[in-house]
Amino acid sequence: MEDCLKNTKRMGRITSQTRIVIIKVCNYLREQYDKEGEDDIVKRTAAATGISVRSIQRIKQQHKRGEMHSPPPRSRKSPVMGALDDFDKDCVRREIIAFYERGEIPTIEKLLDKVKKPPLNFPGAYMSLLKLVKELGFRYKKVESGRKLLMERNDIVLAQNKYLRLIDENQKSDSPRPEIYLDETWVNQNECADKCWTLPDGIVGPRVKTGKGARFIIVHAGGEYGFVPGGLLFFRSKNGNKGDYHDSMNHTCFLSWFQTQLLVNIPARSLIVLDNASYHSKILNKAPVSSSRKSELVSWLTNHNIAHDPSYTKTELLDVVKQHKYLQEYEIEYEIDKIARDTGHEVLRLPPYHCEFNPIELIWAQVKNEVKKCNSNPNQTLTNVERIIKRAIDRVTAEDWKSCMHHAREVEDIYRKRDIARDHLTEKLIINITSDSEESESDDE
C-alpha cells in the first residue's frame, strides 16, 4: 500500500492499482466502524491514505459504475519537434558537420545562432535544439579542462565509419556488386510544401508537409540504371494523414514486397542498401531476456555453441547469456539479410540518422516536386492524384538516378573529410571520456 501511495504522489495521478487499494481500505473501515456513516468512513479513508475526500468520493462512484481503470497518461509531443521533418533534421546535422570542417568547437549556443537563420529558421529555443541534437545521436562530452563539447555517440560514429568503409570497398572492388537503394515515403492528396531539397542539377524539390486528405504510401528501389522494373508498391494509408509512412508499414507488408517485387527483379549479386526501420530489422536469433523460459535460454546457448551447464538456475544461465551477448561469437542476424544472402545478394544498412547517404531521398524530392506542379487543384479526386503520383515516378530517368548517386558519393566524401578534421580537433583537445553515467550527468547539466 505504501508503494502505491508513493507512486501516486510521485506521478501526480491516481493509478488503477491505487484505486483498488482505496476501495479495499473503505471496505475494511466500514467493517470496523459499521455504526459510523458513509461520510465518516470516507474521511477516515482520506486520513489513512493521504488522498483528498473529494478524490475518495469520486473513486467510490467510479467503482459503482465499474470504471476502475485509470485513463492512459497523455503523451505530449513538443510543438517544435512535431513541426520538424527529415529535411530540417538533416540541415541541423550538416551545420554540426560544418563546425568540424571549419576547425571550430560545436556547441548548442553556436549551433542555435546558425540554425535560427534562413533557410532553416529553427522555431525553437536552446532546450528544443538540445533535444533535437540528442535525437540525432550527439552528446556533450568533457575535455580535460572541464569544458563540454558536442560530439556524436561512439556507436553512431562506428556505424558510420563501417558503412563508408564497406561502400568504398565495394566500389573499388574488381567485381563490384550493383548497388540498389530502397526506401519508403508518402505523399498527401493535397500536397503542400514550404521547404525543399536542392538536387544536384539545381532543381528544387519539396519535402512533404502536413495537408488534409488521403495519404499514399510509396515503396520502391533503384540504382544507376533507374528504378527497379516492377518494384513499385503503391497503396493508400489506412491512417489517413496522421503520422508518417512508418505508421502504415509493417514487417509482413515489407517482407512480401522484398521477396516478390525486389529480389526477383534486381541484378545478380546486388548490394541492397536500406535504413534501420523496425520493419526492416526483424531479428532471427534474438537473445533471450529475463522473461524468457529456462528452456529458451538453454536452447539459445546451445545453438550458439556457448559452454554452459543445463543444471544451472535460470538466473545463472541468464548471466551467461549476458556475458556472451555482445561477443564475436554472437552476431545479430536479421531475417531480411538472410533471405537476401540465400538468393546471392547482400544487405548493407545505413548508419542511424544518415538518410543523406541514400540517393533515393533526392529521387523522392524530385517526385514530390512533380506532384506539386501537377496537383494545383485542391479538389482532385483520389484517382487523379494516384495517376499524378505514378506519372511523376515514371518520369524519373536513369540519368536522374546517376546524378543523385553522384551527389550521395560527394556527401560520403564530406563525411570522410569531417572524420579526419574531427579526429584532429579532438586529438588536440584530448577528450577524456569516462563512463556512460558521466555522459548522462553532462547531458542533464
Side-chain angles (χ1 to χ4, degrees):
M1 175 177 170
E2 273 184 42
D3 293 338
C4 288
L5 297 177
K6 285 180 182 178
N7 290 335
T8 297
K9 294 177 181 178
R10 177 174 57 83
M11 298 171 63
R13 53 189 292 270
I14 300 177
T15 63
S16 300
Q17 187 178 6
T18 306
R19 293 164 189 252
I20 295 171
V21 170
I22 289 172
I23 293 298
K24 289 183 177 180
V25 171
C26 284
N27 294 337
Y28 174 78
L29 292 176
R30 189 179 292 108
E31 293 175 359
Q32 296 296 318
Y33 305 95
D34 55 352
K35 295 182 180 179
E36 296 187 7
E38 193 64 28
D39 290 342
D40 292 330
I41 297 297
V42 170
K43 291 178 182 178
R44 285 181 179 274
T45 304
T49 60
I51 307 295
S52 68
V53 172
R54 187 176 181 84
S55 295
I56 300 293
Q57 292 171 339
R58 184 175 66 253
I59 291 169
K60 285 170 61 67
Q61 292 172 358
Q62 291 174 343
H63 178 61
K64 288 181 180 179
R65 297 194 299 265
E67 301 173 355
M68 287 299 292
H69 293 290
S70 57
R74 295 180 181 179
S75 57
R76 180 181 178 275
K77 191 169 185 178
S78 167
V80 174
M81 298 297 289
L84 300 175
D85 55 17
D86 289 340
F87 172 84
D88 303 310
K89 295 175 182 178
D90 186 61
C91 286
V92 173
R93 172 175 283 280
R94 286 177 178 272
E95 286 294 343
I96 299 175
I97 292 172
F99 277 97
Y100 288 112
E101 292 172 344
R102 294 191 299 266
E104 299 179 21
I105 298 174
T107 63
I108 296 294
E109 293 84 355
K110 292 180 180 179
L111 182 61
L112 186 61
D113 291 339
K114 294 288 185 181
V115 299
K116 279 287 187 183
K117 300 173 183 177
L120 183 57
N121 296 318
F122 183 73
Y126 181 95
M127 292 306 297
S128 295
L129 183 58
L130 177 60
K131 184 176 181 181
L132 173 61
V133 167
K134 288 182 179 179
E135 183 182 306
L136 294 175
F138 289 85
R139 293 291 184 271
Y140 266 125
K141 296 180 181 178
K142 289 183 178 179
V143 297
E144 286 188 341
S145 63
R147 185 172 182 177
K148 294 178 291 183
L149 303 180
L150 193 61
M151 297 188 67
E152 280 182 295
R153 293 198 328 246
N154 289 340
D155 60 316
I156 295 176
V157 174
L158 288 172
Q160 172 195 298
N161 292 342
K162 179 181 178 182
Y163 173 84
L164 293 174
R165 175 174 52 80
L166 292 176
I167 202 76
D168 188 56
E169 288 177 357
N170 181 65
Q171 293 163 10
K172 294 179 179 179
S173 170
D174 295 335
S175 56
R177 291 177 177 266
E179 294 173 11
I180 301 296
Y181 295 86
L182 68 86
D183 192 30
E184 305 84 10
T185 191
W186 48 271
V187 180
N188 285 329
Q189 178 183 359
N190 300 313
E191 183 64 28
C192 178
D194 62 5
K195 289 185 173 67
C196 64
W197 289 88
T198 301
L199 301 183
D201 53 4
I203 298 175
V204 173
R207 293 294 291 173
V208 173
K209 302 301 285 185
T210 56
K212 296 181 179 179
R215 173 165 292 171
F216 296 94
I217 309 300
I218 308 170
V219 185
H220 217 329
E224 62 177 339
Y225 299 109
F227 276 121
V228 173
L232 174 63
L233 174 61
F234 185 90
F235 62 93
R236 183 178 171 185
S237 171
K238 295 180 181 179
N239 298 329
N241 63 354
K242 297 178 181 179
D244 61 14
Y245 60 84
H246 294 291
D247 299 325
S248 302
M249 286 293 294
N250 56 53
H251 177 74
T252 303
C253 177
F254 176 79
L255 181 60
S256 174
W257 171 83
F258 189 81
Q259 291 179 298
T260 61
Q261 292 184 250
L262 182 70
L263 295 181
V264 295
N265 291 314
I266 58 178
R269 297 181 60 257
S270 288
L271 180 64
I272 304 170
V273 182
L274 47 74
D275 61 29
N276 297 277
S278 58
Y279 44 84
H280 297 164
S281 308
K282 182 179 179 180
I283 300 175
L284 289 177
N285 58 341
K286 190 173 182 180
V289 293
S290 56
S291 58
S292 303
R293 296 175 180 271
K294 180 179 178 180
S295 58
E296 295 174 0
L297 297 172
V298 173
S299 176
W300 187 87
L301 292 169
T302 302
N303 292 338
H304 290 86
N305 299 318
I306 298 173
H308 65 283
D309 188 342
S311 64
Y312 281 2
T313 64
K314 179 181 175 180
T315 304
E316 291 174 312
L317 290 172
L318 189 61
D319 184 59
V320 176
V321 169
K322 289 179 179 178
Q323 290 176 17
H324 292 80
K325 198 172 181 180
Y326 301 107
L327 296 181
Q328 282 187 343
E329 54 237 37
Y330 168 58
E331 294 182 0
I332 293 177
E333 183 176 26
Y334 297 102
E335 182 177 10
I336 294 297
D337 299 39
K338 184 178 185 303
I339 292 173
R341 190 169 57 253
D342 291 343
T343 54
H345 305 292
E346 185 178 340
V347 168
L348 177 59
R349 294 175 179 272
L350 291 160
Y353 317 114
H354 287 71
C355 62
E356 62 270 33
F357 289 170
N358 195 344
I360 200 172
E361 293 286 351
L362 296 176
I363 297 295
W364 292 145
Q366 180 176 329
V367 168
K368 291 169 186 176
N369 186 53
E370 285 290 326
V371 172
K372 183 172 179 285
K373 288 178 181 178
C374 301
N375 193 21
S376 56
N377 181 4
N379 297 317
Q380 290 271 18
T381 64
L382 292 178
T383 302
N384 285 341
V385 174
E386 181 176 343
R387 177 178 53 81
I388 290 170
I389 296 172
K390 289 183 177 180
R391 186 173 61 187
I393 294 173
D394 291 339
R395 286 182 176 177
V396 177
T397 65
E399 290 301 318
D400 295 327
W401 266 97
K402 288 179 181 178
S403 178
C404 292
M405 291 179 71
H406 177 72
H407 180 75
R409 300 287 176 269
E410 292 178 340
V411 172
E412 291 168 5
D413 289 338
I414 290 173
Y415 270 82
R416 291 186 182 97
K417 294 175 183 176
R418 189 285 307 263
D419 287 340
I420 296 173
R422 181 193 58 208
D423 290 345
H424 178 69
L425 183 63
T426 55
E427 188 70 22
K428 287 175 24 179
L429 294 169
I430 312 176
I431 297 297
N432 182 22
I433 304 169
T434 55
S435 64
D436 292 339
S437 61
E438 183 173 337
E439 288 183 16
S440 300
E441 293 171 1
S442 299
D443 291 343
D444 295 338
E445 290 170 7

